[in-house]
């Protein structure tokens, strides 16, 4: 074979040409270079960073934790927050399940997984929810964000603010879908907060995470979450994967009176991630607390705590209340009568109820209720419970709220041994509103005494929305059962 001076010939020429071409492509296209880098990693063994956490919902106790506070990429678990934001819009009445969402050119151009809708087409809110839960459709996640906020970047800012309000202190969102972005970060711990919050805040919409498949324009789309129907107790909620994140899974499980949430981040494959999660559920669900819930629902805290102006009552009754993580905080109960638009906000994460931590109530406890000689409060099963404490000088709901310190003051009341709590809001009017709405929708509360409890914690002020009138735990739990059937969050607690 002849060789030309300075030029390779034959097979050597082909090899050099291929090498040069590969180099030029890598230099010209950084994304391709990154992809090739990932392929090299795969050859040597794929080993994404791992983290996991399991939390007992009723007690707040951590049952399992590995690297729970280490920063990780959430991938498509991001869509749980996207749906949280959409559920909030449904609750506010901006959308209903049949409302159309428009798909922009930007949304249609998102990378798979996707439904593949054309620019300018629409999808109903309900189908959008199902598309995120099952197909994990990135185009629809983007469309949701754009329809709510006007643009996806603006929606990501809203998501990040919501995360901070929920107590997800190390979470930051850059998009609505979870597609790769170095600024899209979270932790396993933060995701356990979100897993509890979306169930506490939106019980009527959470059921969508149990969807195993749905029919869409001639197609049947299955759920990527293979634990549904295969692991006892699992009822949701979301898978995720990018090359940088590994295989992720957020799971909620309930069996009998026990309930947990669990997070696995950085699985090496979908199958191994599922095995890890199944083992965590089977090992920890039987260990979860089976009694009455001890922790408050996860509640949003305003980014800036607003000081509340509370009228002092003319006469006070000092009382002791069981405190859940409020040792050094001021607790104040006030009347709850004024109507306002319903805005149910979820409660901040409480690691666990510290039993026996008693604190004197420093200010007035006011409540709107019937006259002092009212009939006993009936429970759901028709059995009578203790009478409400006598309330003198308190206006009825029809007469408007009690007078403040500038007028005639309402007398204080002492909460009964058991009370029920519907949530904790960042505004007293919102707390009063949910109490008024709950009372109007359920007859079982007609004789109960609604009141709010002001809690100052970490610079933020919250108002717990509560009903008094229960001598026994069973009566309080029966009332909560009735409220939950009407779409309210509720738990029974000692006063």
């Amino acid at each position: 074979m002849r060789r030309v001076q300075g030029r390779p010939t034959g097979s050597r020429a082909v090899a050099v040409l291929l090498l040069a071409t590969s180099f030029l492509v890598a230099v010209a296209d950084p994304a391709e270079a990154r992809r090739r880098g990932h392929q090299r990693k795969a050859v040597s063994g794929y080993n994404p960073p791992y983290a996991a956490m399991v939390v007992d919902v009723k007690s707040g106790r951590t049952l399992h934790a590995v690297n729970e506070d280490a920063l990780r990429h959430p991938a498509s678990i991001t869509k749980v927050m996207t749906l949280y934001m959409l559920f909030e819009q449904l609750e506010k009445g901006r959308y209903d399940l049949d409302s159309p969402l428009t798909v922009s050119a930007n949304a249609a151009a998102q990378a798979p997984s996707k439904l593949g809708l054309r620019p300018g087409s629409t999808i109903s809110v309900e189908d959008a929810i199902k598309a995120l839960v099952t197909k994990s459709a990135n185009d629809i996640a983007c469309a949701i964000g754009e329809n709510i906020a006007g643009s996806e970047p603006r929606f990501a800012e809203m998501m990040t603010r919501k995360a901070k309000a929920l107590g997800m202190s190390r979470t930051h969102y850059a998009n609505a879908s979870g597609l790769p972005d170095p600024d899209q970060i979270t932790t396993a711990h933060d995701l356990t907060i979100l897993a509890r919050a979306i169930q506490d805040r939106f019980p009527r919409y959470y059921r969508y995470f149990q969807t195993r498949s749905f029919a869409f324009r001639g197609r049947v789309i299955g759920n990527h979450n293979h634990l549904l129907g295969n692991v006892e107790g699992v009822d949701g909620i979301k898978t995720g994967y990018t090359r940088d994140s590994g295989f992720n899974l957020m799971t909620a499980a309930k069996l009998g009176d026990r309930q947990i949430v669990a997070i696995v981040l950085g699985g090496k494959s979908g199958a191994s991630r599922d095995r890890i999660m199944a083992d965590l559920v089977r090992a920890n669900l039987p260990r979860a607390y089976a009694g009455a819930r001890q922790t408050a629902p996860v509640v949003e805290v305003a980014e800036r705590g607003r000081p509340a102006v509370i009228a002092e009552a003319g006469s006070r009754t000092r009382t002791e209340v069981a405190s859940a993580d409020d040792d050094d905080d001021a607790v104040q109960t006030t009347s709850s009568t004024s109507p306002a638009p319903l805005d149910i906000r979820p409660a901040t994460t409480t690691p666990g109820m510290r039993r026996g931590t008693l604190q004197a109530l420093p200010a007035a406890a006011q409540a709107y209720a019937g006259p002092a000689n009212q009939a006993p409060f009936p429970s759901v099963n028709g059995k009578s419970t203790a009478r409400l404490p006598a309330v003198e000088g308190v206006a009825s709901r029809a007469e408007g709220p009690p007078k403040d310190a500038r007028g005639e003051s309402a007398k204080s009341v002492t909460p009964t041994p058991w009370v029920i709590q519907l949530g904790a809001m960042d505004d007293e009017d919102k707390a009063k509103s949910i109490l008024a709405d709950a009372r109007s929708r359920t007859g079982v509360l007609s004789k109960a005494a609604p009141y709010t409890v002001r809690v100052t914690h970490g610079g933020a002020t919250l108002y717990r929305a509560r009903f008094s009138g229960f001598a026994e735990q069973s009566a309080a739990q029966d009332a909560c059962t009735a409220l939950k059937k009407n779409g309210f969050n509720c738990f029974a607690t000692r006063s």
Side-chain angles (χ1 to χ4, degrees):
M1 179 182 295
R2 280 196 321 163
R3 296 179 182 272
V4 176
Q5 183 70 32
R7 293 185 182 177
T9 59
S11 59
R12 285 188 62 201
V14 173
V16 171
L17 180 60
L18 288 174
L19 181 61
T21 301
S22 299
F23 176 77
L24 288 173
V25 169
V27 171
D29 189 349
E32 176 67 13
R34 288 195 298 271
R35 186 183 70 80
R36 288 175 180 273
H38 292 324
Q39 287 178 338
R40 285 194 295 272
K41 290 179 188 175
V43 172
S44 61
Y46 180 46
N47 193 29
Y50 178 78
M53 192 171 187
V54 181
V55 174
D56 181 343
V57 171
K58 287 188 173 181
S59 71
R61 188 163 61 101
T62 298
L63 303 176
H64 174 86
V66 177
N67 301 325
E68 70 274 20
D69 290 318
L71 293 178
R72 298 289 186 263
H73 297 298
S76 281
I77 291 180
T78 295
K79 296 181 177 80
V80 176
M81 180 60 86
T82 301
L83 288 172
Y84 187 104
M85 306 293 286
L86 180 58
F87 294 163
E88 190 171 62
Q89 298 300 313
L90 284 167
E91 185 184 75
K92 291 178 178 179
R94 179 179 174 186
Y95 298 118
D96 59 39
L97 292 173
D98 294 323
S99 297
L101 300 174
T102 301
V103 178
S104 70
N106 177 56
Q110 297 297 302
S113 178
K114 59 197 291 184
L115 281 187
L117 299 189
R118 294 179 179 178
S121 61
T122 62
I123 183 172
S124 72
V125 166
E126 185 168 32
D127 281 347
I129 293 169
K130 293 177 180 179
L132 263 63
V133 169
T134 59
K135 180 70 172 175
S136 198
N138 296 323
D139 51 351
I140 306 306
C142 180
I144 290 172
E146 291 177 338
N147 278 265
I148 291 175
S151 73
E152 189 178 18
R154 216 163 18 237
F155 185 69
E157 292 173 3
M158 292 172 61
M159 295 168 72
T160 300
R161 287 197 299 270
K162 187 66 67 179
K164 304 307 180 192
L166 287 170
M168 300 168 64
S169 60
R170 306 200 73 192
T171 295
H172 181 272
Y173 294 104
N175 59 56
S177 62
L179 282 169
D181 190 298
D183 293 329
Q184 191 103 344
I185 55 172
T186 189
T187 67
H189 176 264
D190 279 4
L191 291 177
T192 64
I193 296 174
L194 180 58
R196 284 174 286 169
I198 199 162
Q199 296 179 75
D200 287 342
R201 175 81 185 271
F202 306 108
R204 71 186 74 177
Y205 298 125
Y206 174 75
R207 64 184 175 85
Y208 282 109
F209 288 102
Q210 301 169 9
T211 303
R212 297 192 193 178
S213 65
F214 89 107
F216 181 75
R217 300 180 186 178
R219 289 182 285 168
V220 176
I221 300 172
N223 198 321
H224 294 168
N225 188 351
H226 301 300
L227 268 61
L228 281 172
N230 292 314
V231 176
E232 189 176 21
V234 170
D235 61 13
I237 78 173
K238 189 72 188 74
T239 62
Y241 169 76
T242 67
R243 181 71 196 177
D244 290 335
S245 73
F247 291 83
N248 298 344
L249 181 57
M250 173 188 285
T251 291
K254 186 175 182 180
L255 194 60
D257 294 325
R258 306 176 197 275
Q259 186 176 6
I260 62 172
V261 294
I263 307 296
V264 169
L265 304 176
K268 294 182 179 180
S269 69
S272 68
R273 171 203 63 196
D274 291 349
R275 282 194 300 271
I276 292 168
M277 181 62 81
D279 289 344
L280 288 175
V281 170
R282 291 176 180 130
N284 290 288
L285 189 53
R287 298 173 55 210
Y289 180 61
R293 183 164 174 169
Q294 297 176 325
T295 58
V298 180
V299 169
E300 295 167 25
V301 178
E303 290 182 272
R304 295 183 179 87
R306 288 178 283 175
V309 180
I310 304 295
E312 292 286 333
S315 63
R316 295 181 186 175
T317 299
R318 302 281 290 187
T319 186
E320 291 186 333
V321 296
S323 173
D325 220 20
D326 298 326
D327 302 44
D328 303 318
D329 303 328
V331 180
Q332 195 171 42
T333 62
T334 68
S335 64
S336 178
T337 57
S338 60
L342 180 62
D343 188 2
I344 305 173
R345 305 242 176 191
T348 245
T349 306
T350 308
M353 179 76 77
R354 290 207 286 271
R355 295 291 183 187
T357 305
L358 299 177
Q359 183 173 327
L361 198 63
Q366 304 174 350
Y368 63 89
N373 61 352
Q374 62 190 302
F377 176 70
S379 67
V380 172
N381 59 16
K383 294 180 181 179
S384 176
T385 63
R387 292 178 180 272
L388 292 173
V391 183
E392 299 177 4
V394 180
S396 68
R397 282 185 67 192
E399 298 167 333
K403 302 290 184 180
D404 63 18
R406 292 167 294 185
E408 295 180 7
S409 298
K411 298 292 184 179
S412 302
V413 298
T414 303
T416 48
W418 284 87
V419 299
I420 61 175
Q421 180 167 315
L422 278 67
M425 295 31 162
D426 61 354
D427 182 89
E428 188 177 15
D429 285 341
K430 294 172 183 175
K432 292 177 180 179
S433 173
I434 188 177
L435 290 170
D437 192 52
R439 200 173 194 185
S440 68
R441 285 207 242 167
T442 55
V444 296
L445 296 175
S446 60
K447 302 294 184 180
Y451 67 102
T452 63
V453 180
R454 180 173 178 258
V455 180
T456 305
H457 182 65
T461 300
L462 296 176
Y463 297 87
R464 292 173 174 167
R466 290 183 168 184
F467 281 98
S468 175
F470 310 93
E472 302 294 336
Q473 179 182 6
S474 59
Q477 288 176 336
D478 285 344
C480 272
T481 298
L483 283 167
K484 288 176 181 178
K485 289 179 179 178
N486 283 272
F488 291 93
N489 296 316
C490 180
F491 69 94
T493 184
R494 291 187 182 275
S495 62

